[in-house]
Amino acid sequence: MKIEKTLQSRIKEMDFNDIAFGNQYSDHMFCSEFKNEKWKNSIIKPFGDIMFSPTSLVFHYGQAVFEGMKAYKDKNEEVFLFRPEENFRRLNKSAVRLEMPIIPENIFMNGLKQLIDIDRNWIPKNYGQSLYIRPFFIATNGVLSAKPSKDYMFIIISTPADVYYKHPLKIKIEEKYSRSSPGGVGFTKAAGNYASSFYPTRLANEKGFDQILWTDSSTHTIIEESGTMNVFFYLKNKLITPKTNDNILNGITCKSILSLAKKEGLFVEERDIRVSEVIEWLKTGELKEVFGCGTAAVVNYFTTISYKENDFFLPDFSEKKRISLYLKKRLLDIQHNISEDPFGWRVQLKRYL
Ligand code: PLP
Ligand code: COI
């Protein structure tokens, strides 16, 4: 792989005391091209604009998929990726569904590891902070006919990250719009899934809600996920999360929370969750906590759930007693190499240069 290092690092412009998600990008990016059925021209180069033909299929028919993952530092400033092979697998699962070629593991992993190694100074040091890594894969060629591109580009960029949501969330159960449907692409990280969620999310924001709690597209009676998070419902000692299907992104954080919860001896259920039972739990007070989890969001609890214009308030007890924050800490402790890693999730980054 070719490596062109920047002659002028921008790191001095980065304010690590005021990290805003996606405000600043690390010095380098990784690019690899798929042309004539072959992967070629893998390169790490200074972060910057790239030129594509206006006919590129990504602009017209949306052949674009992406991933979100993080690198963490421990107290000795060693760097750890969290479950990167899961992102690799999911990216290719998304690619297959969008009729895009498979990215070879060596291209993904070597590009990722060497890029993050070169930009390791961009990884914030504090607990809960990380470098958010965005691999994305787009169709770069086209002749305006609606068929898959022949050429593609795989790119990785990264941005220092702190908390994504700065406060607990108010959520609205969606009754009209959907983000996915059976047989569709909801289980992928297709760029279009996010574009189609912006309008209904803005409508919810205007009514004072932070996010939508998506429901199934045909009946709006089954809970799916929320914004860019999978969701958990906590009742007494039972943690319940929607069973993943075609409509739901199979979150790596969600899978990790499930493993941690089981290890902590919590009773865990993955099953269809009906809106009606959530409303019933809210009315009877059985529901102790509802929270969302995802790579960017980590774990965030909800304070309000609204359904049919009625706001239901979740119990307002101390953060010290919250199962969501307990599990968040267990996860972050593993990610930052503070606790043992019984699941083998951490991948320590070696120094390449
Ligand atoms: N659901 C959606 C729609 C997302 O965009 C994300 C974020 O990646 C998640 C769930 C959580 O997935 P993960 O934990 O793998 O980041
Ligand atoms: C992630 O959590 O990785 C996401 O993809 C969220 C992102 C859309 C901000």
Side-chain angles (χ1 to χ4, degrees):
M1 170 169 39
K2 212 165 138 191
I3 297 183
E4 274 174 23
K5 286 186 80 173
T6 180
L7 298 175
Q8 202 150 29
S9 170
R10 290 176 282 100
I11 196 136
K12 285 190 205 80
E13 294 160 28
M14 174 71 209
D15 183 358
F16 283 97
N17 294 316
D18 184 21
I19 300 171
F21 188 88
N23 235 14
Q24 276 185 285
Y25 293 88
S26 66
D27 280 328
H28 299 90
M29 62 186 186
F30 169 79
C31 302
S32 191
E33 289 171 46
F34 184 84
K35 260 189 171 39
N36 301 324
E37 302 291 316
K38 283 201 173 62
W39 285 94
K40 55 178 85 163
N41 301 333
S42 288
I43 182 168
I44 289 176
K45 60 183 182 182
F47 177 93
D49 295 347
I50 338 176
M51 229 161 58
F52 296 114
S53 161
T55 64
S56 295
L57 239 119
V58 64
F59 302 134
H60 304 275
Y61 308 120
Q63 252 188 321
V65 294
F66 72 96
E67 269 307 318
M69 55 201 300
K70 282 177 169 175
Y72 296 84
K73 274 188 176 157
D74 71 4
K75 63 178 184 334
N76 301 318
E77 302 214 8
E78 287 302 321
V79 174
F80 298 86
L81 295 167
F82 184 70
R83 309 188 77 175
E85 71 295 340
E86 292 282 338
N87 297 94
F88 164 70
R89 274 202 288 271
R90 193 171 62 186
L91 185 60
N92 274 332
K93 215 170 147 191
S94 299
V96 166
R97 179 60 181 82
L98 270 81
E99 192 55 16
M100 298 165 79
I102 292 285
I103 301 173
E105 186 161 6
N106 66 327
I107 292 189
F108 182 95
M109 289 298 175
N110 290 341
L112 170 72
K113 290 178 179 173
Q114 296 203 44
L115 176 73
I116 304 309
D117 180 44
I118 288 179
D119 281 342
R120 58 170 69 221
N121 289 343
W122 286 84
I123 308 173
K125 298 176 187 131
N126 294 336
Y127 189 78
Q129 298 180 337
S130 58
L131 187 71
Y132 181 84
I133 306 164
R134 170 55 58 82
F136 63 107
F137 186 25
I138 52 174
T140 51
N141 180 269
V143 283
L144 282 199
S145 47
K147 51 186 182 197
S149 175
K150 289 196 169 19
D151 301 341
Y152 295 84
M153 191 175 270
F154 171 53
I155 305 172
I156 311 179
I157 56 173
S158 70
T159 178
D162 202 342
V163 278
Y164 189 75
Y165 292 110
K166 294 199 168 32
H167 53 80
L169 305 177
K170 288 175 75 175
I171 302 291
K172 171 187 175 262
I173 297 179
E174 186 55 53
E175 296 163 68
K176 178 175 176 189
Y177 299 99
S178 339
R179 71 173 282 284
S180 59
S181 55
V185 296
F187 69 93
T188 71
K189 271 182 94 74
N193 286 344
Y194 298 79
S196 69
S197 73
F198 293 162
Y199 174 71
T201 304
R202 188 204 11 112
L203 296 182
N205 293 157
E206 283 172 1
K207 292 196 159 177
F209 300 104
D210 298 296
Q211 273 299 345
I212 284 173
L213 187 53
W214 296 107
T215 47
D216 69 291
S217 59
S218 42
T219 65
H220 295 289
T221 58
I222 313 279
I223 302 285
E224 291 184 340
E225 55 186 313
S226 182
T228 61
M229 299 173 292
N230 296 107
V231 286
F232 280 92
F233 296 80
Y234 182 56
L235 307 100
K236 284 203 179 138
N237 283 335
K238 188 156 66 171
L239 202 52
I240 314 177
T241 190
K243 193 170 162 49
T244 48
N245 55 31
D246 270 12
N247 301 351
I248 300 177
L249 188 81
N250 194 354
I252 297 159
T253 319
C254 176
K255 281 202 258 188
S256 308
I257 292 282
L258 280 169
S259 305
L260 285 168
K262 282 182 204 160
K263 192 156 189 302
E264 292 294 320
L266 288 173
F267 184 69
V268 167
E269 258 180 27
E270 288 171 84
R271 65 162 171 90
D272 283 351
I273 301 173
R274 291 187 310 279
V275 172
S276 57
E277 56 185 332
V278 172
I279 300 305
E280 194 54 32
W281 295 333
L282 283 160
K283 285 184 177 160
T284 58
E286 263 176 286
L287 195 52
K288 302 296 173 215
E289 271 190 77
V290 184
F291 60 93
C293 68
T295 299
V298 191
V299 172
N300 237 278
Y301 67 85
F302 303 167
T303 53
T304 312
I305 295 185
S306 176
Y307 184 55
K308 294 193 186 294
E309 310 278 328
N310 289 316
D311 287 354
F312 296 91
F313 301 103
L314 284 144
D316 178 24
F317 50 87
S318 142
E319 295 216 326
K320 282 195 192 118
K321 293 193 178 143
R322 286 189 177 271
I323 194 76
S324 53
L325 299 186
Y326 176 76
L327 292 168
K328 177 181 182 177
K329 183 166 184 319
R330 299 232 62 84
L331 182 64
L332 282 171
D333 282 357
I334 293 180
Q335 289 168 329
H336 281 287
N337 191 28
I338 290 171
S339 64
E340 287 294 302
D341 177 19
F343 307 100
W345 289 338
R346 280 193 297 260
V347 175
Q348 184 163 3
L349 200 67
K350 71 175 193 191
R351 286 170 203 270
Y352 288 85
L353 299 175

